Amino acid sequence: MSLNDKQKTARTVMRLTIIFLMIELLDELVDGVRGAAWPLIRNDLHLSYVQVGMLLTIPNTIASLIEPILGILGDVGQRRQLILGGGVAFAIALLFISLSNDFSLLLTGFVLFYPASGSFVTLSQATLMDIEPTRHEQNLARWALAGSLGNVIGPLILAGAIALHSSWRSAFFVLAVLTVWLLALLWHYPIATPTSFEDAPALSFKDGIRNAIAALKRPSVLRWLTLLQFSDLMLDVLHGFIALYFVDAIGTNNTQASLAVTIWLGFGLLGDFLLIPLLERVSGLSYLKVSALLVLVLYPAFLVIPHLTVKLIILACLGLLNAGWYSILQGQLYTAMPGQSGTVMTLSNMFGLVGGLIPLAVGILAQQIGLQPAMWVLLVAPIALLLGLFKV
């Protein structure tokens, strides 16, 4: 390969990386807008709590059945079609949501959106891992930073729409337009499957299933899949209970609880930003061990110390320390499954079905014994990480 060809390849990789990170940013913008817009959507469409629960449960359940198939198809020669087709469905779903004037159309939009996100966003992540196979952790740290930015900016987009005397529908319509723009950028770039990168023979869908089963039998793959689910106790699960914990267990008002969530998200964003240069200097696993040990000490202090200001300071430290957990563990999973980046999506989704029950289990336990003692269950996360990483 000539020097000019190498420069062109490097530019293509850099541009594709930027586009994929923008796709993750877009996905989390949607999540941020949706989370902030729920009260407006409920009041505008006169939804009951049962209908809200259906909107949160039915699309996710359907996607959990579809996405494992998409992951395998992404490894056996249909990666480009799945990503671009998922992007088109992603835009259409957002358009449906923006046009919703009743429950049925809103549900249709969400049912389409969830698997479209898996095809468009998750397979984009898998392709990002393929184009730079020696920089999994570093690129996933960038991916996490893009997602954190989206979560923070999303509610601001909704606030801007409202300030301009518009509505939540306008915010979703703008996101649909952004999706079409990203698709136009991506359309002209090659998107190959892992086998294309390796000049390997094409695989059938049955081959993909057999390879997924074989990967699932490898101890290293099982380790990273399991640790990812345990780590989520200190990530999404803790995030989901922070506001309730401050209001119900500590006795703060809603404003103070919102401040706690903001601190958690803000320092998590800072942690994602600092992780990128850090991983250029130190081993991700070494950082993860130190981080888990510090969380093992700080989290009990967070639960025990009654002073609100001290609690908020410790919460900020936890958000900072937890920031790299997903990036490093997911990066290790990709490294353990070379040439099977789409299958990573399949296996992660299967394990996620079990992990998705954890918040329900914590909620049931809190109902029985109270939220304060139930929060101690989340301490399992750093313990599991330290045990799982002991010989690594």
Side-chain angles (χ1 to χ4, degrees), residues 128-148:
L128 176 61
M129 297 300 101
D130 290 333
I131 61 178
E132 289 195 286
T134 61
R135 296 181 61 80
H136 287 161
E137 291 180 355
Q138 290 87 345
N139 278 330
L140 278 168
R142 295 183 176 91
W143 184 274
L145 176 60
S148 295

Side-chain angles (χ1 to χ4, degrees), residues 94-358:
L94 291 175
L95 184 62
F96 281 175
I97 294 170
S98 71
L99 297 174
S100 297
N101 54 13
D102 57 27
F103 171 74
S104 59
L105 185 56
L106 186 64
L107 179 61
T108 300
F110 281 147
V111 167
L112 180 60
F113 176 80
Y114 275 65
S117 176
S119 184
F120 184 43
V121 182
T122 310
L123 283 178
S124 291
Q125 182 194 88
T127 308
L128 176 61
M129 297 300 101
D130 290 333
I131 61 178
E132 289 195 286
T134 61
R135 296 181 61 80
H136 287 161
E137 291 180 355
Q138 290 87 345
N139 278 330
L140 278 168
R142 295 183 176 91
W143 184 274
L145 176 60
S148 295
L149 281 171
N151 262 321
V152 172
I153 297 172
L156 298 179
I157 292 177
L158 180 65
I162 295 171
L164 294 173
H165 305 289
S166 190
S167 70
W168 57 271
R169 291 183 177 86
S170 300
F172 282 106
F173 181 77
V174 168
L175 293 172
V177 173
L178 286 175
T179 304
V180 174
W181 175 66
L182 277 178
L183 278 172
L185 291 179
L186 187 60
W187 195 270
H188 301 289
Y189 286 93
I191 303 173
T193 60
T195 52
S196 301
F197 288 111
E198 299 170 1
D199 296 323
L203 300 175
S204 68
F205 185 73
K206 289 183 178 179
D207 292 329
I209 294 176
R210 282 195 291 266
N211 289 340
I213 294 172
L216 199 54
K217 295 178 180 178
R218 291 178 4 223
S220 61
V221 173
L222 282 174
R223 177 195 293 121
W224 303 124
L225 285 168
T226 302
L227 291 182
L228 274 165
Q229 297 308 313
F230 275 116
S231 71
D232 201 46
L233 286 168
M234 276 288 161
L235 300 171
D236 287 343
V237 177
L238 178 58
H239 181 195
F241 282 97
I242 286 175
L244 287 173
Y245 173 75
F246 274 87
V247 172
D248 295 347
I250 307 304
T252 66
N253 56 41
N254 289 329
T255 301
Q256 291 169 319
S258 297
L259 175 62
V261 174
T262 302
I263 288 173
W264 167 263
L265 291 175
F267 276 84
L269 176 61
L270 177 61
D272 288 332
F273 177 78
L274 295 175
L275 184 67
I276 295 173
L278 181 66
L279 289 178
E280 299 290 347
R281 294 172 173 80
V282 301
S283 161
L285 290 178
S286 297
Y287 162 78
L288 192 58
K289 292 174 185 177
V290 174
S291 173
L293 184 61
L294 292 173
V295 170
L296 183 63
V297 174
L298 286 174
Y299 185 67
F302 169 74
L303 294 177
V304 170
I305 294 175
H307 196 277
L308 178 60
T309 302
V310 178
K311 274 187 179 294
L312 292 175
I313 292 172
I314 297 175
L315 184 64
C317 294
L318 290 173
L320 195 66
L321 290 168
N322 297 347
W325 288 16
Y326 168 79
S327 303
I328 295 167
L329 292 171
Q330 187 76 2
Q332 290 295 322
L333 178 59
Y334 276 112
T335 302
M337 296 177 62
Q340 292 182 277
S341 58
T343 307
V344 168
M345 170 182 169
T346 297
L347 298 184
S348 296
N349 195 272
M350 291 170 58
F351 270 65
L353 286 173
V354 178
L357 299 175
I358 293 176

